Amino acid sequence: MRNLNAVNITDAVIEQFSGCSDERLKQVLNSLVTHLHAFIRDVEPTEQEWTQAIDFLTRTGQMCDDKRQEFILLSDTLGVTMLVDAINHHSSDPMVSESTVLGPFYVADPPEAAQGESIDWNVEGEPFLVEGRVHNERGEPLANVVVDVWQSDSEGFYDVQKELEGASLRARFTTDAQGRYAFWTVTPSPYPIPTDGPVGKMLELTGRHPYRPAHVHFMLMAEGFDTLVTQVFAEDDPYLDSDAVFGVKDSLVREYQLLPPGKAPDGRSMDVPFRHLTYDFGLKASR
């Protein structure tokens, strides 16, 4: 522990973890130290640059609260979230839906809503009918699947970013005996991730735009199945190939079909144009 230098300090730090009884924790910390030290040797930051890096992380933490998670945003914009997702949720089964990022605006225990209900509480926008079915790996319908949905409004804002009386454009549904879910909402739009914090400044300094393509978030939960966290994107969106958080997959892109006034697929009479999305989800049985 004496006379440490740029060559031997990594081994010295790792040795200090040798007494850790949690083998997984020791593995993680040893790898962290090894790669972090390798990064420092590669970049050779000045002391001023390292202080700036610590300040960046400090400000990132200070931006976090019960409505916003700047560290999730940082993970998303560096591609780390999608890398973790790819490692943990890879499946070659075409009957299993692909996952993608949770994003920073999920709120647990959203309001429960009935099949076909409108969730556009206290907001205005182009009407949008979203419906589909949930099935297992054999294509059999799954009843009683909990389906959480959340999205931005037509101006690109989530309810937690606005001063609303209650939740809006987020709700919880339960699939029926045929595995069906359905709800009315408003058509989401592309939107910038929050840029008023350190992550936004990072994007600005590196010449990256902050935009995400229009999408609806889904989280599907059922006993005996892996929880699915995913999104369904509008196929004509200009940001599909440059999503700021790297979350787009071809299987999650669908047409938000524009329909004229008249009878909607669920029988509702519409006196204005509206959009329609049908998307079926496949869940993977827990192993």
Side-chain angles (χ1 to χ4, degrees):
M1 289 290 290
R2 298 186 183 185
N3 305 314
L4 299 178
N5 54 45
V7 175
N8 62 17
I9 192 171
T10 303
D11 289 340
V13 176
I14 290 176
E15 173 61 27
Q16 291 300 298
F17 293 126
S18 62
C20 179
S21 60
D22 186 326
E23 290 300 318
R24 175 59 174 168
L25 176 60
K26 182 163 64 174
Q27 177 192 11
V28 171
L29 290 173
N30 287 351
S31 182
L32 172 64
V33 170
T34 299
H35 289 283
L36 181 58
H37 284 212
F39 166 76
I40 295 298
R41 292 189 182 95
D42 179 42
V43 175
E44 295 185 337
T46 64
E47 291 178 337
Q48 180 183 9
E49 288 172 334
W50 189 242
T51 299
Q52 290 174 331
I54 292 174
D55 178 65
F56 174 83
L57 294 175
T58 300
R59 288 184 289 112
T60 299
Q62 290 169 340
M63 291 292 293
C64 299
D65 56 30
D66 61 339
K67 295 183 178 179
R68 174 166 172 178
Q69 239 298 347
E70 191 79 359
F71 268 112
I72 291 179
L73 206 59
L74 178 60
S75 174
D76 290 351
T77 55
L78 293 179
V80 176
T81 305
M82 283 304 299
L83 178 56
V84 173
D85 176 81
I87 291 171
N88 284 275
H89 299 289
H90 173 71
S91 175
S92 59
D93 187 344
M95 296 298 289
V96 174
S97 297
E98 290 192 284
S99 57
T100 188
V101 296
L102 175 70
F105 296 117
Y106 176 70
V107 176
D109 301 319
E112 295 188 6
Q115 288 280 353
E117 185 176 340
S118 296
I119 64 171
D120 55 346
W121 306 301
N122 301 311
V123 299
E124 296 182 357
E126 181 181 53
F128 187 27
L129 172 61
V130 182
E131 61 180 347
R133 297 178 184 273
V134 183
H135 58 76
N136 62 19
E137 293 153 292
R138 298 183 298 277
E140 299 165 340
L142 292 175
N144 301 315
V145 177
V146 175
V147 182
D148 282 7
V149 301
W150 68 103
Q151 63 168 89
S152 72
D153 62 19
S154 297
E155 296 179 338
F157 293 101
Y158 287 79
D159 56 355
V160 294
Q161 296 176 289
K162 303 172 72 174
E163 295 183 359
L164 299 177
E165 294 182 359
S168 185
L169 305 181
R170 70 173 70 242
R172 172 169 291 176
F173 299 89
T174 302
T175 59
D176 64 17
Q178 289 75 46
R180 293 185 65 255
Y181 72 91
F183 61 96
W184 283 88
T185 180
V186 298
T187 306
S189 70
Y191 65 87
I193 61 174
T195 57
D196 57 338
V199 173
K201 189 64 175 179
M202 181 267 290
L203 295 180
E204 177 187 347
L205 291 174
T206 55
R208 291 175 56 187
H209 75 70
Y211 281 87
R212 298 219 61 213
H215 59 274
V216 178
H217 292 267
F218 293 85
M219 179 184 290
L220 295 91
M221 298 162 282
E223 184 176 355
F225 293 87
D226 291 349
T227 295
L228 173 65
V229 176
T230 195
Q231 302 166 31
V232 181
F233 301 89
E235 70 172 8
D236 57 350
D237 194 283
Y239 296 105
L240 286 175
D241 294 317
S242 60
D243 181 10
V245 305
F246 309 100
V248 178
K249 298 177 180 179
D250 286 344
S251 67
L252 303 178
V253 178
R254 288 291 187 275
E255 180 184 9
Y256 289 10
Q257 185 181 16
L258 179 62
L259 298 176
K263 183 173 289 188
D266 68 345
R268 178 179 295 198
S269 179
M270 300 296 296
D271 57 5
V272 296
F274 64 98
R275 292 190 183 270
H276 180 223
L277 166 67
T278 300
Y279 196 91
D280 294 345
F281 295 99
L283 300 187
K284 180 180 179 181
S286 300
R287 302 295 188 237

